[in-house]
Amino acid sequence: MKLIRLSDIDGSMLDLVGGKAAGLGKMIRAGERVPDGFCLTVEAYRAGQLPEEELVEAYERLGGGRVAVRSSATAEDLPEASFAGQQDTFLNVEGPSDLIDAVRRCWDSLFTERAVAYRAAAGIGEAAMAVVVQRMIDPVTAGVLFTANPITGCRSEMVVDAAPGLGTAIVEGTVVPDHYVLDQRIPAVPDDGGCLNAEQLGGLRAAGQRLQEHLGSPQDIEWAIDAEGTLWLLQSRPITTLFPLPPDTGDTRLYLEFGHIQGMLRPCTPMGVSLLKTGGSVWFQAAGAKVDRRDPLPRMVPIGGRLYFDVTDFLRSKAMRERLGTSLEVYGPRVQGAVLRMLDDPRFAPRPGLPLHLGSVVKGMVRMVPAGLAGVVSSLSNPALARARAHRGVAEIKRMIVPPGESATAAERLRWVVEDSHKAVMSIDMHGIVWPLTAGMIVGTLPAALLKGVATDEELDTVLGGMPYNVTTQMDLKLWGLAVRAREHRDLFLGTPPEDLAAMYFAGELPDIGMGGFLAAYGMRAAAEIDVGVPRWADDPAPLFATIANYLRVEDPEQAPDVRFMAAAARAERMIETLSRRARRRRPIRGRLAAFFMRRSRQLTGLREIAKFAWLPVIQACRRQLLLAGADLADRGRLERADDIMFLTLEEARAAARGTDHREVAAMRRAEYVRELRRRTVPGALLSDGTDLEALAPTEPAQDGVLTGMSGAAGQATGRARVIRDPAGARIEPGEILVAPTTDPGWTPLFMTAAGLVTETGSPVAHGPTVAREYGIPAVICVRDATHEIRTGQLITIDGAAGTVRVEPE
């Protein structure tokens, strides 16, 4: 079938008629007013020959005259990719020869540079082109209707842009349209009338509601109103940029995203969320809290695969709402300001009561406070003994991990993951790890308070440089040691793709540089390592080989990571002496206290990473058991492949072990996960109606060439930007400034050769800026849209103390 009327198209014909024609067919079947027309299907395109005679006959049956000729690719107007403006449309086409020429040009537009790049960015492979031919409408007014606010994400608002004449001027951005925001009422129309009156706006809103309900998602609708006042709908496609909605609770809720603190903005797999909830609940039970096994940690809510915390009850609590401001500082000024503005929103008016069960809080304090005080005091009095105790705790946790044997069934493996796996790590004090870590965090922050007015932020950051006893820093330096051993094979490691080096390593074909020992110690790590669904370095060491190649490019001995780290440590010791003398002259008692805490910080603050490090072997063991269970379930036809289990919850996996076929569910969630991996921005604060609160924030005054964030690590650096969105296989030249959406420990090997760090999210206590301070490099965090505003190769200057990034003129 090479030609088909639009009114004969149904939803099953997407592969035949493309996204635009399929959407038009759905609108017609829903009873909407759509200009008459037909579709030249992909069969003609794939045949490579235009059926000119049939095309002209269909045009004449349509009545001839002026028509619109519009692309309708099979990868167009889809829920995950709109392709807006990527292929061509031709208006006011008249006559057979012009029609044939326009169709050929539509075909050609499938392979323009912009269309090919868009498909690549969207992860879409091959596509084919159908073409829609419709009668032209002569509009008095035309425009675009969004059935959800595309800027804020709010689902209770519609947005209309309108302009006189053809709507293409709006799409192309060549006019300033009339802009209307429709909530539950029609907005007042300006005295000059604008393009639309109240009746027309009401008609648009009603059409938008009908189409959204019929098509099942918020829509981006092109429309036109002719001289008789008739409303025509020209196109409807899903709004692809909206962040997914939180679960519907029947109430207005406010959620804060966890990744801004943890340095993880990629989505978490369903199994990753499920294990985090189940594992975390073990600790709360140990602390005396009651846990509902049906939904452990109900305030932790997955939205779009990201972990959010429901802060609604804290915001509404009379006793706690005014104390929120300080706790929100870890999210950065934009998120903090957005949430605090909600204190004046009547939907979050204060209510009596506490958001926590007082009995559980008291029980937890009774169990923890006495032991905690004793643990912190003993750690401060003998830091070396405290560190030894913490490392014994790590070893004890590893010893206690005893997964099922080789003959275990899928059900037995899943029972171990759910019921036994986290008993080893989720004791109240994590076998002696928590109190030395807590002491380190306390003494790391006290000097700033004691030296207020005596030391600058930059001086205090210098004290944290070259921080010893950090397991992540030790890991990075050991990776540098592998690079040193790889120097005699430099051409091999620089000239071979990282994935090929990984395959050669597993095949035993690489020179021995010590990778086996490194993976034995750190193979449970990875970017986004708290997600059990993510492969570990032991599964795929390609990112490590990419980092080794980066290190091999270091030619200046003074830029060697170990030399830089030792230099930062030496600067820190000198700064402690300087600040101690200065403080004792001004405030003798406070100065002595500050000196004591600065030195204790050098002994204990590096332990900040050790609790998560101790947890990772448990996650790795769970991953292995889950994959073994997944392989068993795939063999029995309940999953397609072993790692499909990562797209189920623990309870769903146990149901599969009892006989439930979850192949369709896993495939659907895998596709959603892959789509979310491509999402570049994630709301830090989200309302239950989909509103991104940061989008409501007042616009900051623009400064030419200057982007503003907040201080992450003091200092200044000028260098070429290297924009990286995923650390896997990433390359950064020595002296470049890393620009990233966020960072977690899986990114930190890149820091060893970077001159500085810029991130779009984060907090001063997150992994990225903390490690940057320890490495002695400046960092600016919370720079909105940094990976879009800055391009790789641009010369930039970052000021970590001021929190600014300047793009230098060249």
Side-chain angles (χ1 to χ4, degrees):
M1 184 188 305
K2 294 184 178 179
L3 286 164
I4 183 171
R5 288 180 62 89
L6 294 179
S7 56
D8 293 333
I9 293 173
D10 61 42
S12 67
M13 298 181 180
L14 177 63
D15 290 340
L16 178 67
V17 301
K20 187 177 277 99
L24 292 168
K26 289 177 183 178
M27 286 197 291
I28 292 170
R29 287 176 177 266
E32 301 296 339
R33 187 179 290 105
V34 175
D36 194 13
F38 61 89
C39 176
L40 179 67
T41 71
V42 299
E43 287 187 3
Y45 173 82
R46 288 184 172 132
Q49 185 171 2
L50 184 61
E52 296 184 5
E53 186 175 334
E54 294 176 57
L55 177 64
V56 171
E57 287 176 358
Y59 169 66
E60 290 173 348
R61 283 196 301 272
L62 192 61
R66 293 178 298 113
V67 293
V69 180
R70 313 171 71 194
S71 64
S72 182
T74 53
E76 192 170 350
D77 291 359
L78 303 180
E80 64 270 22
S82 70
F83 276 80
Q86 300 306 309
Q87 276 94 216
D88 288 340
T89 288
F90 302 96
L91 304 179
N92 292 310
V93 175
E94 189 169 10
S97 62
D98 287 349
L99 173 64
I100 291 169
D101 179 63
V103 169
R104 291 191 187 280
R105 290 163 69 189
C106 274
W107 280 2
D108 292 342
S109 71
L110 188 63
F111 293 102
T112 61
E113 183 177 345
R114 68 172 185 264
V116 171
Y118 187 98
R119 285 198 296 277
I124 294 172
E126 293 184 3
M129 179 68 80
V131 178
V132 170
V133 179
Q134 286 178 283
R135 294 182 61 118
M136 274 295 301
I137 301 298
D138 287 325
V140 174
T141 306
V144 180
L145 163 67
F146 293 95
T147 66
N149 192 315
I151 305 300
T152 67
C154 180
R155 304 313 202 271
S156 59
E157 294 179 343
M158 294 190 187
V159 173
V160 176
D161 281 347
L166 295 172
T168 50
I170 294 177
V171 176
E172 294 165 357
T174 58
V175 299
V176 178
D178 288 352
H179 184 75
Y180 307 87
V181 178
L182 317 178
D183 47 24
Q184 302 305 315
R185 58 183 179 79
I186 303 299
V189 178
D191 291 339
D192 62 7
C195 289
L196 300 173
N197 57 39
E199 181 181 354
Q200 291 167 328
L201 287 171
L204 282 167
R205 187 172 66 181
Q209 288 172 334
R210 291 193 304 269
L211 279 175
Q212 179 168 284
E213 291 171 8
H214 182 74
L215 299 175
S217 66
Q219 297 291 301
D220 167 0
I221 303 165
E222 293 182 19
W223 54 270
I225 297 175
D226 64 19
E228 283 72 43
T230 301
L231 172 62
W232 296 88
L233 301 184
L234 309 178
Q235 178 173 306
S236 187
R237 59 187 172 214
I239 304 175
T240 59
T241 56
L242 295 175
F243 193 71
L245 277 174
D248 185 7
T249 64
D251 183 23
T252 300
R253 313 293 294 180
L254 174 59
Y255 303 89
L256 291 182
E257 205 268 328
F258 272 162
H260 284 64
I261 300 175
Q262 284 295 322
M264 174 182 166
L265 289 190
R266 62 182 292 156
C268 196
T269 61
M271 184 60 74
V273 174
S274 185
L275 186 67
L276 285 171
K277 283 195 165 201
T278 300
S281 70
V282 175
W283 187 89
F284 281 97
Q285 286 177 303
K290 293 182 179 179
V291 173
D292 185 347
R293 295 186 69 86
R294 293 170 298 178
D295 185 13
L297 312 186
R299 284 195 174 95
M300 184 188 290
V301 182
I303 308 171
R306 280 77 179 183
L307 289 171
Y308 281 79
F309 185 78
D310 185 347
V311 296
T312 309
D313 295 335
F314 295 86
L315 201 63
R316 288 174 175 163
S317 169
K318 284 184 177 180
M320 302 190 72
R321 67 194 324 252
E322 299 302 331
R323 297 178 176 86
L324 276 177
T326 301
S327 64
L328 292 170
E329 287 178 359
V330 298
Y331 279 90
R334 290 184 63 85
V335 172
Q336 181 187 35
V339 175
L340 292 180
R341 282 190 291 274
M342 289 294 103
L343 293 174
D344 298 324
D345 190 307
R347 295 173 293 180
F348 297 100
R351 300 175 182 177
L354 291 171
L356 303 168
H357 294 293
L358 192 57
S360 296
V361 174
V362 171
K363 191 182 296 183
M365 291 180 67
V366 168
R367 295 186 182 188
M368 295 179 65
V369 170
L373 287 173
V376 169
V377 170
S378 65
S379 298
L380 291 175
S381 63
N382 193 333
L385 186 62
R387 293 196 305 272
R389 185 163 59 245
H391 285 287
R392 283 198 304 272
V394 174
E396 177 67 8
I397 289 169
K398 286 184 178 179
R399 186 190 66 77
M400 293 175 66
I401 301 171
V402 185
E406 292 184 9
S407 62
T409 65
E412 290 168 339
R413 297 187 191 283
L414 292 167
R415 187 208 62 78
W416 180 82
V417 171
V418 173
E419 299 179 16
D420 296 335
S421 64
H422 278 69
K423 289 179 180 178
V425 71
M426 289 301 177
S427 64
I428 288 182
D429 70 344
M430 290 184 63
H431 305 281
I433 292 173
V434 168
W435 310 133
L437 180 156
T438 303
M441 294 177 69
I442 291 171
V443 297
T445 57
L446 282 176
L450 291 169
L451 296 174
K452 189 173 183 180
V454 176
T456 66
D457 290 343
E458 189 163 359
E459 289 172 328
L460 290 169
D461 278 356
T462 300
V463 170
L464 299 175
M467 185 69 71
Y469 311 118
N470 185 320
V471 290
T472 299
T473 302
Q474 291 167 343
M475 174 192 76
D476 294 342
L477 289 171
K478 287 180 180 177
L479 187 59
W480 165 253
L482 299 192
V484 172
R485 294 182 62 177
R487 283 174 180 166
E488 60 181 298
H489 311 287
R490 191 173 189 274
D491 291 344
L492 171 65
F493 284 95
L494 278 176
T496 308
E499 56 273 16
D500 292 348
L501 290 170
M504 293 169 66
Y505 168 75
F506 285 127
E509 299 170 357
L510 272 187
D512 183 10
I513 61 171
M515 182 61 78
F518 183 89
L519 291 177
Y522 302 107
M524 73 284 199
R525 307 211 75 168
E529 60 198 3
I530 62 171
D531 179 4
V532 72
V534 171
R536 313 286 108 176
W537 285 339
D539 305 323
D540 178 16
L544 300 176
F545 287 112
T547 301
I548 288 171
N550 288 336
Y551 291 171
L552 288 172
R553 296 184 179 96
V554 176
E555 296 179 353
D556 181 356
E558 295 301 312
Q559 294 302 311
D562 54 348
V563 173
R564 291 175 63 186
F565 186 76
M566 288 187 290
R571 287 194 299 271
E573 294 294 342
R574 291 195 299 270
M575 184 57 68
I576 290 175
E577 291 294 334
T578 299
L579 295 180
S580 297
R581 289 194 299 270
R582 186 190 304 167
R584 284 196 296 267
R585 285 198 304 268
R586 298 188 190 181
R587 301 170 181 174
I589 295 176
R590 188 179 291 192
R592 286 185 174 85
L593 281 173
F596 172 79
F597 287 129
M598 282 189 289
R599 296 199 183 282
R600 282 295 185 263
S601 175
R602 302 287 302 172
Q603 296 293 308
L604 291 169
T605 301
L607 294 175
R608 66 181 299 278
E609 300 277 346
I610 200 168
K612 185 174 146 184
F613 184 77
W615 186 16
L616 292 175
V618 176
I619 296 177
Q620 184 183 38
C622 288
R623 177 175 172 82
R624 288 172 177 165
Q625 293 304 307
L626 289 167
L627 290 174
L628 288 169
D632 187 351
L633 296 174
D635 288 343
R636 289 189 275 166
R638 288 139 196 201
L639 295 174
E640 285 293 338
R641 60 197 214 203
D643 67 344
D644 275 354
I645 199 169
M646 299 304 176
F647 298 96
L648 305 179
T649 66
L650 282 166
E651 285 306 309
E652 289 168 342
R654 297 183 91 172
R658 294 190 295 268
T660 305
D661 184 344
H662 274 316
R663 286 177 294 184
E664 188 173 331
V665 170
M668 178 189 69
R669 290 186 184 158
R670 185 188 289 273
E672 292 171 355
Y673 176 80
V674 170
R675 284 199 298 271
E676 285 299 320
L677 280 173
R678 292 193 292 269
R679 187 179 296 278
R680 293 187 175 181
T681 57
V682 176
L686 186 69
L687 290 182
S688 49
D689 66 1
T691 300
D692 176 355
L693 288 183
E694 283 189 86
L696 302 179
T699 303
E700 297 177 0
Q703 301 181 52
D704 289 344
V706 177
L707 305 176
T708 303
M710 68 180 296
S711 174
Q716 294 186 351
T718 298
R720 298 289 173 184
R722 174 71 67 171
V723 179
I724 298 176
R725 296 187 174 89
D726 188 331
R731 169 181 172 179
I732 183 166
E733 297 284 351
E736 290 182 325
I737 295 174
L738 172 60
V739 181
T742 186
T743 59
D744 72 355
W747 289 73
T748 58
L750 296 173
F751 291 15
M752 302 290 273
T753 53
L757 172 68
V758 178
T759 64
E760 294 179 327
T761 65
S763 78
V765 299
H767 298 288
T770 298
V771 175
R773 289 192 292 270
E774 293 174 358
Y775 287 177
I777 63 174
V780 180
I781 60 176
C782 298
V783 180
R784 191 171 175 86
D785 298 328
T787 61
H788 301 273
E789 297 291 337
I790 300 171
R791 298 188 308 276
T792 291
Q794 283 185 312
L795 188 66
I796 62 175
T797 296
I798 66 173
D799 186 330
T804 60
V805 181
R806 177 181 296 279
V807 179
E808 301 291 354
E810 294 190 66

